[in-house]
Amino acid sequence: MAASIPFISALFLLTLISQGHCQCDNVSNFIISQSQTGQKIANKTEWNVTIKNDCLCTRGEIKLDCTGFQNAENTDPSVLKVIGNECLINNGGVLHGFESFSFTYAWDTQFQFKAKDSSVECS
């Protein structure tokens, strides 16, 4: 019995460590940055948006709050699909831990995108 205590303790410690590496929920741990591309589309400034999954977990079905979003550029819906007040990025595909995804849009001013929802997969 005494020999099994170190084994059980080690197993418990490994469980805690593995759980600690995947502390992501469905909306936090995204870094969204934007910059001007230097291009004009229909006389509007073109913006490049980069969304980084700043978490070890894989995230999919990433949706942004797009309430009030306007775009003068024809954006491929597999890249950015506007559905009501939500935008689905990357056709719902996954961003693995610390990967980024980018898209462009054109408008007079920068739009403040915010993560709204995603699925989370932890291994």
Side-chain angles (χ1 to χ4, degrees):
M1 180 69 165
S4 66
I5 291 175
F7 174 75
I8 292 171
S9 297
L11 185 61
F12 179 71
L13 181 62
L14 285 173
T15 301
L16 287 176
I17 290 171
S18 68
Q19 294 291 324
H21 285 324
C22 193
Q23 300 272 334
C24 304
D25 65 27
N26 60 342
V27 294
S28 64
N29 302 102
F30 286 107
I31 297 173
I32 302 174
S33 59
Q34 297 187 56
S35 60
Q36 294 182 14
T37 67
Q39 301 294 315
K40 293 278 188 180
I41 307 292
N43 209 27
K44 309 283 185 191
T45 301
E46 185 179 58
W47 301 89
N48 183 66
V49 180
T50 301
I51 301 166
K52 181 179 180 185
N53 176 9
D54 197 32
C55 177
L56 186 61
C57 300
T58 298
R59 318 284 278 285
E61 294 295 319
I62 301 166
K63 295 176 183 168
L64 307 175
D65 182 350
C66 287
T67 304
F69 175 68
Q70 297 183 42
N71 187 3
E73 189 170 355
N74 288 328
T75 303
D76 181 346
S78 69
V79 174
L80 179 71
K81 184 175 185 177
V82 180
I83 308 163
N85 289 330
E86 291 182 342
C87 292
L88 179 68
I89 66 159
N90 194 22
N91 210 29
V94 299
L95 281 183
H96 297 285
F98 306 103
E99 283 186 336
S100 297
F101 180 81
S102 296
F103 64 89
T104 59
Y105 71 97
W107 200 247
D108 294 321
T109 57
Q110 179 177 316
F111 182 81
Q112 295 302 310
F113 290 98
K114 294 181 184 105
K116 185 171 184 177
D117 196 15
S118 73
S119 63
V120 180
E121 295 177 28
C122 298
S123 307

